[in-house]
Amino acid sequence: MARLRAVRYHVDCDPGFDTQLREPHYLPLGASVGRIAERIREAITTDEVADALTELTAAHDGVLTALDDVLAATAEFYQDLGQSADPATARRLHYLAESRLDVIRSDLSHVRNELADRHAPHPGRSTCTQEVPAGERERSAVCACPPPPRTVPAPPPQPVTAGMRR
């Protein structure tokens, strides 16, 4: 009901159906793909990772198939655009789709199939219940969650040496 009211419709209904909740908006494509990485980071079994990778590698509607289509469409656009470098750009895009993207798709499909065949939990991950046993004071002391990813500090930049002036 909240969505209808948000676009200025008058809504009169039973109180049990009346809500202020709105459905979430669709995520941008990049965020949707990024969600696959989140699912893999949160996965506790090989099946969960295989399911996530299926969204990337599916031959009919996977992300990599769509990216292949984008590269091909862009190459077609460039082919006859009119500048001398345009055919070379089109060839490069075709090369990326046919050579590089196919390698990524093939490797990820192999990883996905291998994980799907294992049907095993990850030995270092488990479901966190966020519950603290009665004898413990802190969840962090007994939580079965995987530790947060460690970030390695970036190395300091190399010192700049002055060259000789002429």
Side-chain angles (χ1 to χ4, degrees):
M1 301 306 142
R3 289 188 80 187
L4 292 171
R5 289 186 180 119
V7 291
R8 302 187 192 278
Y9 278 87
H10 173 72
V11 179
D12 188 21
C13 64
D14 288 336
F17 292 106
D18 198 1
T19 179
Q20 294 302 314
L21 298 177
R22 296 184 187 187
E23 292 179 19
H25 294 281
Y26 291 105
L27 294 174
L29 181 58
S32 296
V33 173
R35 181 67 184 120
I36 295 172
E38 277 183 49
R39 288 174 48 203
I40 292 171
R41 286 186 188 100
E42 295 169 355
I44 58 172
T45 67
T46 59
D47 293 325
E48 292 171 338
V49 176
D51 288 345
L53 289 176
T54 298
E55 293 184 36
L56 290 175
T57 60
H60 57 287
D61 66 349
V63 173
L64 295 176
T65 298
L67 181 56
D68 188 15
D69 289 343
V70 169
L71 291 170
T74 307
E76 290 169 14
F77 180 82
Y78 256 100
Q79 185 61 45
D80 299 317
L81 199 53
Q83 292 187 1
S84 61
D86 294 341
T89 301
R91 284 191 302 275
R92 176 72 179 163
L93 291 169
H94 280 297
Y95 166 77
L96 290 173
E98 294 166 4
S99 297
R100 302 299 177 141
L101 193 56
D102 278 347
V103 170
I104 293 169
R105 182 184 298 113
S106 174
D107 286 358
L108 280 177
S109 293
H110 176 74
V111 167
R112 182 244 169 255
N113 293 339
E114 183 180 306
L115 289 171
D117 290 342
R118 284 192 189 180
H119 304 290
H122 188 285
R125 297 181 181 185
S126 61
T127 304
C128 178
T129 61
Q130 301 269 338
E131 294 179 8
V132 179
E136 296 291 334
R137 294 179 55 197
E138 294 183 26
R139 181 179 62 86
S140 62
V142 295
C143 182
C145 294
R150 292 182 54 190
T151 56
V152 179
Q158 295 292 329
V160 177
T161 57
M164 295 180 60
R165 290 189 175 187
R166 294 184 189 205

